Amino acid sequence: MSHMSAERMTPPLPDYEDLSYRDLEERVRSLSSERLRELIAYEQSHADRMEVLELLQDRLTRARDTDSGDGSAPP
């Protein structure tokens, strides 16, 4: 599989490539579901770090719960 086109993608967050795991954890808290999906796609096509993907997937799940407004997400 060629990564030529994926490498030309710009990161969905400024300085994404330089963020530590902790910094990334802080930054993704305020992102919309759409932005989180963009980050997941970017990460999968670049570094593909399992711990980062788990963080992003977990945040996406929480964002969807909050977006739905059903009150099931913790505060």
Side-chain angles (χ1 to χ4, degrees), residues 1-3 6 8-10 21 23 26 31 35-36 39 45 47 51 53-54 60 68:
M1 178 168 109
S2 172
H3 287 286
R8 279 184 251 148
M9 286 177 59
T10 55
Y21 182 85
D23 289 340
E26 284 290 318
L31 296 180
R35 296 285 282 161
L36 287 163
L39 267 178
S45 67
E51 68 277 7
L53 288 170
E54 287 176 359
L60 179 59
S68 69

Side-chain angles (χ1 to χ4, degrees), residues 28-48:
V28 301
R29 287 184 183 165
S30 62
L31 296 180
S32 67
S33 297
E34 182 179 333
R35 296 285 282 161
L36 287 163
R37 282 191 286 274
E38 290 172 12
L39 267 178
I40 290 166
Y42 182 85
E43 181 64 31
Q44 288 172 331
S45 67
H46 286 77
D48 202 23

